[in-house]
Amino acid sequence: MGDNLVITIGREYGSGGHEIGMKLADALGVKCYDKELLELAAKDSGLCPEIMENHDERPTNSFLYSLVMDTYSMGYSASASYLDMPINHKVFLAQFESIKKLADKESCVIVGRCADYALEDYPNAISVFIKAPLASRVTRIMERNNVTEDKAFEMIAKRDKKRASYYNYYSSKKWGEAKSYDLCIDSSKVGIDGAIAVIKAYIEAKNNKK
């Protein structure tokens, strides 16, 4: 493990988490990886980009999961168990490994995809969760996507359910629960720039404590 600073961002849909990640990365002079992580994982694993995209952040219920993860943890990722595992698990493992490689290579911001779980043993990784009241998120989605209020509600419910299911399935923590992260921020109370300022202040305080 190197000394690279990696900020991982979990987010409720419509909370501005992606925008915060992009602007934070810009302020820190590093790259932000969101969908870009799919390209890296596809390249590293040999899985085609279309498969990575179609199965991104989607859990699959499977009795093979425990067996697969036990086998993988022992270093036999090329075994028959790996070959037989559901494609969702292959996608997850590909992203998991790419996240670790990325953290070893450079300081960066990573949005979603259980990055905080993948890097939980990295001392210089800081996990952040961005939330906001439902009403605030509905308004944001309506304006950003030019959709009706009902459609915004539907989009939020669907996306949050998917993210929570993925996170809770693959990690040992609970999506959106304060104790799962180093820092939780309500973007409706501090705004996008305010959230960035809070994260930067946390980084500085953490560094000063060393």
Side-chain angles (χ1 to χ4, degrees):
M1 299 180 191
D3 295 326
N4 296 322
L5 171 66
V6 181
I7 311 298
T8 67
I9 297 182
R11 71 284 185 222
E12 291 181 326
Y13 187 61
S15 65
H18 174 79
E19 184 179 354
I20 289 169
M22 293 292 291
K23 289 188 174 181
L24 174 64
D26 187 58
L28 297 176
V30 300
K31 292 182 180 179
C32 178
Y33 294 89
D34 190 341
K35 290 293 185 181
E36 297 83 357
L37 186 62
L38 300 181
E39 298 176 12
L40 288 177
K43 183 178 179 181
D44 291 341
S45 66
L47 294 172
C48 72
E50 290 77 14
I51 288 178
M52 299 297 297
E53 179 72 27
N54 291 335
H55 295 275
D56 182 36
E57 291 191 314
R58 293 185 182 180
T60 294
N61 292 321
S62 170
F63 291 112
L64 286 174
Y65 180 63
S66 294
L67 173 62
V68 165
M69 291 305 289
D70 286 344
T71 303
Y72 181 80
S73 67
M74 290 186 290
Y76 301 122
S77 60
S79 68
S81 293
Y82 176 79
L83 296 176
D84 292 338
M85 78 167 68
I87 190 63
N88 298 62
H89 297 331
K90 291 182 180 180
V91 169
F92 169 77
L93 292 176
Q95 292 188 22
F96 193 85
E97 285 304 302
S98 290
I99 288 169
K100 285 180 171 290
K101 288 180 181 179
L102 203 53
D104 287 335
K105 177 184 175 184
E106 64 185 81
S107 294
C108 59
V109 175
I110 303 176
V111 179
R113 295 166 187 85
C114 293
D116 59 303
Y117 177 61
L119 302 178
E120 63 179 351
D121 294 328
Y122 282 59
N124 290 323
I126 296 175
S127 59
V128 180
F129 189 82
I130 307 297
K131 65 174 188 173
L134 181 57
S136 173
R137 294 188 286 137
V138 167
T139 298
R140 182 182 179 87
I141 295 302
M142 288 174 63
E143 294 175 350
R144 188 184 72 186
N145 296 60
N146 192 28
V147 296
T148 64
E149 184 177 33
D150 287 344
K151 182 61 177 178
F153 270 111
E154 180 186 337
M155 292 171 68
I156 289 171
K158 183 177 181 180
R159 193 66 65 89
D160 278 356
K161 181 179 180 180
K162 180 179 135 180
R163 288 175 178 174
S165 296
Y166 180 84
Y167 187 90
N168 296 343
Y169 185 70
Y170 285 114
S171 81
S172 59
K173 302 182 289 184
K174 187 173 181 180
W175 185 80
E177 192 172 82
K179 65 181 180 180
S180 297
Y181 310 89
D182 296 316
L183 186 63
C184 293
I185 303 172
D186 186 334
S187 60
S188 72
K189 294 182 177 178
V190 298
I192 300 298
D193 292 336
I196 294 169
V198 171
I199 297 170
K200 290 174 68 178
Y202 184 94
I203 295 171
E204 183 178 356
K206 185 173 183 289
N207 289 337
N208 289 338
K209 188 171 174 57
K210 291 182 179 179

